[in-house]
Amino acid sequence: MKKITFIFSLAFIFFGCNSTNTHKNGYSGMIYDYENNPVSKAMFFLDSDYITSTDCNGHFYIDDFTCRSLSGRKIIIKKDHYETISCNAEDFFSNPFVYMKIGSVSQLVKSLTEYLKKDDMEKSKLFLEKLKTSVKEKDELNTYNYLSSIFYYKEENFPLAKEFLSLVASQENEYVKKLENLINEKCFQF
């Protein structure tokens, strides 16, 4: 029985997921997350036209695009609950092998929280923008709105901080109430 399980495990490793990095022509690469895990099923678009997806190992292959005009076009990489990446197609196809990192919502929240704690507002703003492209569900949107309110509070943009805080669905949260009181105190000082 152990021998059969071992054979099936080997078969899955070799045949269960086609790795695409062995193609000779075209462009290939790997998409991985902020923790260096491969990202499967990330979809690639040339503008709005679907062109490929990553396999279970995060690898992708794109046919040779030399016969197409790439000037002014964008490569867009999307996966639910991950940031959306957009880059110039000419730059993307200038290298036959590409490694790219994309962050999941939880990884973006973790990074944004760390930068907010350090008062690194430049990096906080960058991760807030990345998070904005990633949120899809209500709890993710609430997290985005809450972290946005903290960001704008630290930037001393109190009206905008209060606006984002009012968008948070559950205002019963102790931390939301505490931040709301701080913002209200600052708003009345002006």
Side-chain angles (χ1 to χ4, degrees):
M1 182 66 173
K2 288 183 181 179
K3 194 174 193 178
I4 292 173
T5 304
F6 178 73
I7 291 171
F8 279 120
S9 297
L10 282 177
F12 178 75
I13 290 170
F14 290 111
F15 303 109
C17 182
N18 252 345
S19 182
T20 58
N21 62 355
T22 59
H23 295 280
K24 302 277 188 241
N25 298 320
Y27 305 88
S28 60
M30 183 177 177
I31 304 296
Y32 52 103
D33 67 15
Y34 289 178
E35 296 170 353
N36 294 322
N37 298 310
V39 177
S40 64
K41 299 180 183 176
M43 297 181 294
F44 286 71
F45 298 86
L46 181 59
D47 295 325
S48 62
D49 299 326
Y50 171 82
I51 51 177
T52 194
S53 293
T54 55
D55 65 17
C56 65
N57 293 316
H59 294 115
F60 65 90
Y61 173 76
I62 301 173
D63 289 326
D64 192 355
F65 275 92
T66 55
C67 61
R68 297 186 191 184
S69 172
L70 299 175
S71 180
R73 301 188 76 186
K74 295 280 183 196
I75 288 288
I76 301 162
I77 304 167
K78 292 182 179 183
K79 179 175 170 115
D80 283 346
H81 309 288
Y82 281 79
E83 67 182 296
T84 297
I85 301 288
S86 177
C87 57
N88 179 295
E90 289 176 303
D91 293 340
F92 184 86
F93 290 115
S94 67
N95 190 341
F97 196 80
V98 178
Y99 282 107
M100 295 188 83
K101 280 193 175 191
I102 64 173
S104 67
V105 168
S106 61
Q107 292 167 344
L108 295 171
V109 166
K110 181 181 175 184
S111 295
L112 175 56
T113 302
E114 288 172 8
Y115 290 126
L116 284 169
K117 285 180 183 177
K118 294 176 185 176
D119 289 328
D120 186 336
M121 301 315 285
E122 189 175 313
K123 287 188 180 173
S124 294
K125 184 176 184 176
L126 173 71
F127 277 88
L128 194 60
E129 287 301 315
K130 289 181 177 196
L131 186 59
K132 185 178 183 179
T133 69
S134 310
V135 296
K136 303 286 186 247
E137 296 180 7
K138 185 177 180 181
D139 60 330
E140 295 171 346
L141 186 59
N142 284 339
T143 301
Y144 167 76
N145 289 332
Y146 179 69
L147 291 172
S148 294
S149 67
I150 293 171
F151 172 81
Y152 288 110
Y153 175 78
K154 287 180 171 258
E155 288 276 293
E156 298 186 2
N157 186 338
F158 304 116
L160 198 51
K162 188 172 183 176
E163 184 180 324
F164 272 102
L165 194 60
S166 70
L167 297 174
V168 178
S170 172
Q171 299 249 340
E172 300 303 316
N173 185 311
E174 167 188 345
Y175 299 109
V176 173
K177 288 290 188 190
K178 185 176 178 181
L179 185 58
E180 188 175 48
N181 289 336
L182 286 171
I183 292 169
N184 283 333
E185 288 174 18
K186 296 289 184 177
C187 286
F188 290 123
Q189 290 179 1
F190 293 103

